[in-house]
Amino acid sequence: MSVLTSTTGVTSILKTFSGEERHRAKTVAANKVRFSTPKEKGLAESVRVAVEEGNFYLVKEFTFFLWEAELDDDEVVLILKDAKRIVHNLTLDFVNVVEALLSLNWKTRTPEIIEAYTEFWIDIMVAHNRYLPIGVSKLINHWIPGDLDASDWVNGCPLECTRCQLKPTHDVLNRILTAVPMAFDVVMDVISTKFPYFKKPAHVTAGYLFNVLWLIEYKPIFEELILQLVLQKLLVLDVNAPRDQIDVETDDADDKLEADRMFQIDDVSGDNLINAGQTVKHPVGQTLDICLLMLYKFIDSKCRINQNSSDQHRWTANRLFKMLLYIFDEVLLPSHNTHHVQFVLFHVTSIRSAYSEAFLNLLWKKAQNPNVAAIIRHAAVGYMASFLARGKFLPLSTVVFYLKQFSKWIHTYIDESDENNQTCSLKANLVFYSVCQAVFYLIAFRATDLTASSKDVDLVLPWTDTPSGFDTKHKSNLLFLQSLQLSRIAMCQLNPLRYCLAPVATAFAGVTRTYQLAYCHTVLERNARRKLATVYGHDKSMPEETAETFFPFDPYLLKISKKYIEANYVVYQSNDTEDYVHSSAEDRLSRKRRDSEMVEEDEFIILDKRQKYLEISKSQDFDKQY
């Protein structure tokens, strides 16, 4: 203390309080905090004052208290019990305090708090259904994993502790859906709104999908709408994870993995290297991979039928398939250039032959219907061709049946076009060219199966005698291909080979030449010359190109979910009758990177997509080939 202050009696500003004075000052400050009044009055008293006196000040204070205070378990229980007791007074005038009550941290607390919250939640929704959107939204928010919670979710499956925390939210929702039927539409709207953005981390979207599929388990009435929503959301992921980007990142990852192994001296982290290559590196592709894995598991659990399956299980399986078929027709078929989502249908149809027959029947009816838009019919034919080529579970008789149906339709179309003097126009004859390409594609792709091993013996024509030892099955296969009149299809005035994908046309020409079914190389040469660009000064004019075609069941690139597909998937195997396919034209278009084995073997299809204007136009290439 300074001399001046000691003589004048003025207290120094540096003077310290004693312990007793400091405690008294803290008490005074604490008593001035606004939370003291609402905490003392309580929720019931605050609502009573608002209802009887029209004074909402205490309610507002209590609302701030709920949002900002850190409540212990006893306080939460007391507040929830008070709220349940006055639930009928909590009209829309008290929407803010009700929202604060519904936002309480309850999921990780004691069973007593969970039970108290559940009872209040149900009572408030039943008494005042106008709170349903708020309450359901608060509940479903718990289904969305945090961005940093990846360790709690492994390939879309939660750890046991996480599952236990989620169960109360499903129990509450189950009870309210039973008590308030009108909550159905609200729940669907909220689920759709809350679906994570496609760029969210994989565990966030997969975790949300886990909870959405969980909902179907106890409320099957949601099944159709939920599955349709899920496939729509997965389509968004699919179009944002293009095949070429997934392929590039997969190759880069494989190269890095190989380099790591090459320079690894001590094998101390081999497991880490294996785990690193388990999924694709593309972030959206990784999300799609995990989500499709979950969907395949869900379909398996519902549609797998064995001898011990009950009639109810069989009925459920058939019902689910019909839903998926309807969703495919409404959502997937009109979607352009998807890559992996359509394999949901590939997987479910592999389970039972009746499913694959129904799928093909739907597509063929769609393709033949003149009242359906041409682009949809075109897509339906593409699905049929790819499905018939790739489905290992399909008997050869099914492929033969649809080849007959295709050729019959084509010949009828040619007859009508000859009568009407129809011109060779891609736009006017899109469906015709699609069906022709389907025939060419199937014969080129399944040539080994369709011709069996008849190439090992002399070719037998219908008018010749059968040599001794010749397998009549082989002969019947060739007779079947001859009955398709492939030469008439390829040589007709509509010139389908002109608008066919170049690798398909070339492969088809090789197969038909080998088995003397048709001679297409002259048509290919003429078409190649027509496709040459015309240059006017600095302007280049391209002729009408091929129909934009994609084969939906091209090689599957996602790594985790691939195990559900590869067992039933036919990988293209080139045979020695198609050596010309791998000609100098292909060599000029050799890729800068290494493809996966599956893609590499599917070369004659994949190349055309990566290089749209395939350079088969130079006649010297054909001279070398033929």
Side-chain angles (χ1 to χ4, degrees):
M1 184 180 295
S2 66
V3 177
L4 179 60
T5 55
S6 63
T7 57
T8 58
V10 178
T11 304
S12 171
I13 61 174
L14 300 178
K15 182 179 179 180
T16 58
F17 290 139
S18 64
E20 182 180 351
E21 291 173 332
R22 188 183 302 109
H23 177 72
R24 188 182 303 112
K26 288 182 178 180
T27 303
V28 172
N31 289 336
K32 292 181 180 179
V33 177
R34 68 184 179 196
F35 295 149
S36 60
T37 300
K39 185 175 181 180
E40 291 174 359
K41 296 290 183 181
L43 175 62
E45 178 63 17
S46 301
V47 172
R48 186 196 65 79
V49 171
V51 172
E52 296 181 359
E53 303 177 9
N55 185 355
F56 283 81
Y57 176 76
L58 291 179
V59 172
K60 291 179 180 178
E61 288 292 307
F62 197 87
T63 303
F64 291 139
F65 169 69
L66 291 175
W67 282 115
E68 299 182 15
E70 295 183 3
L71 304 176
D72 58 34
D73 291 352
D74 293 336
E75 289 175 328
V76 173
V77 171
L78 180 61
I79 291 171
L80 289 174
K81 287 183 177 179
D82 283 348
K84 187 177 186 302
R85 183 162 49 87
I86 62 168
V87 68
H88 291 287
N89 292 329
L90 297 176
T91 61
L92 287 180
D93 294 332
F94 300 95
V95 61
N96 291 329
V97 72
V98 169
E99 184 175 1
L101 288 168
L102 294 174
S103 302
L104 287 174
N105 180 19
W106 63 279
K107 192 176 62 170
T108 57
R109 291 183 181 264
T110 63
E112 183 182 7
I113 291 179
I114 293 175
E115 180 63 24
Y117 179 88
T118 300
E119 295 301 326
F120 166 70
W121 200 93
I122 293 172
D123 285 351
I124 192 69
M125 297 303 149
V126 172
H128 308 284
N129 53 40
R130 296 289 296 275
Y131 286 129
L132 276 172
I134 297 175
V136 172
S137 180
K138 295 294 181 183
L139 203 60
I140 290 179
N141 276 338
H142 293 292
W143 292 4
I144 307 174
D147 289 354
L148 303 179
D149 295 339
S151 59
D152 295 336
W153 296 85
V154 180
N155 290 341
C157 294
L159 301 181
E160 188 60 32
C161 59
T162 305
R163 186 190 293 265
C164 291
Q165 292 177 7
L166 288 168
K167 189 177 185 303
T169 66
H170 288 277
D171 292 340
V172 173
L173 191 59
N174 188 17
R175 291 180 60 180
I176 200 63
L177 285 168
T178 302
V180 187
M182 67 177 298
F184 178 90
D185 292 334
V186 176
V187 171
M188 275 307 308
D189 290 341
V190 174
I191 288 176
S192 178
T193 303
K194 295 289 183 180
F195 216 99
Y197 183 57
F198 76 91
K199 288 188 178 180
K200 279 287 187 178
H203 75 277
V204 175
T205 303
Y208 189 78
L209 177 59
F210 174 86
N211 284 285
V212 168
L213 295 177
W214 190 349
L215 172 62
I216 297 178
E217 296 295 334
Y218 56 85
K219 287 298 179 187
I221 192 173
F222 283 95
E223 197 166 45
E224 182 173 349
L225 291 178
I226 288 291
L227 289 175
Q228 183 166 343
L229 173 66
V230 167
L231 288 175
Q232 287 173 338
K233 297 299 182 180
L234 294 186
L235 273 178
V236 177
L237 294 172
D238 202 2
V239 298
N240 284 281
R243 176 184 296 274
D244 54 350
Q245 293 185 19
I246 291 177
D247 211 3
V248 168
E249 299 207 13
T250 299
D251 284 341
D252 292 343
D254 290 342
D255 290 341
K256 184 178 184 301
L257 184 62
E258 190 173 321
D260 289 341
R261 287 173 176 168
M262 183 181 300
F263 293 103
Q264 184 179 358
I265 299 176
D266 297 322
D267 189 15
V268 296
S269 58
D271 292 339
N272 293 332
L273 291 176
I274 295 174
N275 293 333
Q278 285 182 348
T279 185
V280 295
K281 298 303 179 182
H282 191 282
V284 181
Q286 183 182 27
T287 303
L288 179 64
D289 195 5
I290 296 174
C291 289
L292 284 176
L293 174 71
M294 298 170 64
L295 203 53
Y296 295 151
K297 288 181 180 178
F298 174 81
I299 291 172
D300 262 10
S301 67
K302 298 291 184 181
C303 293
R304 289 288 177 188
I305 297 175
N306 52 46
Q307 295 180 348
N308 300 324
S309 299
S310 63
D311 292 339
Q312 178 64 28
H313 187 191
R314 295 174 186 275
W315 181 85
T316 301
N318 294 335
R319 177 174 173 269
L320 177 61
F321 171 72
K322 290 177 181 178
M323 288 181 187
L324 290 173
L325 203 59
Y326 170 78
I327 295 169
F328 167 80
D329 191 14
E330 294 292 318
V331 178
L332 296 182
L333 183 59
S335 300
H336 174 67
N337 202 24
T338 57
H339 309 289
H340 293 96
V341 174
Q342 59 266 21
F343 277 90
V344 171
L345 268 296
F346 187 92
H347 175 60
V348 72
T349 50
S350 69
I351 295 176
R352 294 183 64 190
S353 59
Y355 294 165
S356 59
E357 292 171 4
F359 181 55
L360 287 167
N361 186 51
L362 169 72
L363 291 170
W364 185 224
K365 285 183 177 179
K366 187 79 67 175
Q368 295 179 91
N369 189 351
N371 296 320
V372 175
I375 192 66
I376 300 297
R377 298 170 68 190
H378 169 67
V381 174
Y383 268 97
M384 291 188 72
S386 191
F387 186 72
L388 289 166
R390 298 292 189 174
K392 187 182 292 186
F393 48 88
L394 294 174
L396 186 61
S397 59
T398 300
V399 180
V400 169
F401 173 79
Y402 280 102
L403 276 174
K404 289 180 179 178
Q405 295 297 310
F406 290 159
S407 63
K408 181 180 178 181
W409 187 91
I410 290 170
H411 288 300
T412 302
Y413 194 96
I414 292 173
D415 293 338
E416 293 176 354
S417 66
D418 288 342
E419 293 176 2
N420 300 326
N421 294 322
Q422 196 163 347
T423 59
C424 181
S425 168
L426 175 60
K427 184 176 181 181
N429 304 290
L430 178 62
V431 180
F432 169 77
Y433 292 129
S434 301
V435 179
C436 289
Q437 180 167 248
V439 171
F440 301 156
Y441 178 78
L442 283 173
I443 290 176
F445 199 101
R446 303 295 292 265
T448 302
D449 298 326
L450 291 171
T451 59
S453 57
S454 58
K455 63 184 179 180
D456 298 331
V457 297
D458 294 333
L459 183 65
V460 178
L461 298 176
W463 54 84
T464 61
D465 295 330
T466 304
S468 59
F470 187 80
D471 191 339
T472 56
K473 179 181 177 182
H474 300 158
K475 177 182 177 180
S476 64
N477 286 344
L478 279 179
L479 291 177
F480 159 69
L481 291 176
Q482 290 171 351
S483 70
L484 300 181
Q485 301 182 56
L486 299 176
S487 181
R488 182 176 186 243
I489 295 175
M491 307 296 179
C492 73
Q493 66 174 7
L494 295 175
N495 193 5
L497 287 173
R498 176 181 179 184
Y499 300 103
C500 184
L501 291 175
V504 176
T506 311
F508 170 76
V511 172
T512 54
R513 181 194 61 177
T514 299
Y515 297 105
Q516 301 180 30
L517 299 171
Y519 297 94
C520 305
H521 61 279
T522 304
V523 178
L524 290 178
E525 290 181 11
R526 183 172 65 249
N527 291 339
R529 287 191 291 269
R530 287 178 178 176
K531 288 185 178 182
L532 293 174
T534 303
V535 179
Y536 301 94
H538 297 289
D539 296 328
K540 183 170 70 173
S541 174
M542 296 296 295
E544 193 173 13
E545 289 296 331
T546 59
E548 186 175 357
T549 303
F550 81 109
F551 295 100
F553 302 114
D554 274 351
Y556 198 87
L557 301 181
L558 303 179
K559 292 187 175 181
I560 299 178
S561 55
K562 179 180 178 180
K563 63 182 181 180
Y564 283 91
I565 303 300
E566 58 186 354
N568 297 308
Y569 191 83
V570 175
V571 178
Y572 174 70
Q573 300 287 345
S574 61
N575 53 64
D576 53 2
T577 67
E578 298 173 16
D579 291 338
Y580 64 92
V581 176
H582 305 286
S583 63
S584 59
E586 177 185 328
D587 295 337
R588 292 195 306 270
L589 295 171
S590 59
R591 288 165 290 170
K592 296 181 180 179
R593 55 184 175 80
R594 185 185 73 257
D595 271 348
S596 65
E597 181 179 355
M598 180 178 289
V599 174
E600 199 168 57
E601 291 176 345
D602 276 49
E603 189 73 16
F604 86 100
I605 301 301
I606 300 298
L607 271 180
D608 188 73
K609 296 183 179 183
R610 293 177 180 167
Q611 184 76 24
K612 185 175 181 181
Y613 301 111
L614 188 64
E615 293 182 359
I616 63 166
S617 56
K618 296 186 179 179
S619 58
Q620 58 266 34
D621 292 338
F622 294 97
D623 294 337
K624 294 177 182 178
Q625 294 167 15
Y626 302 99

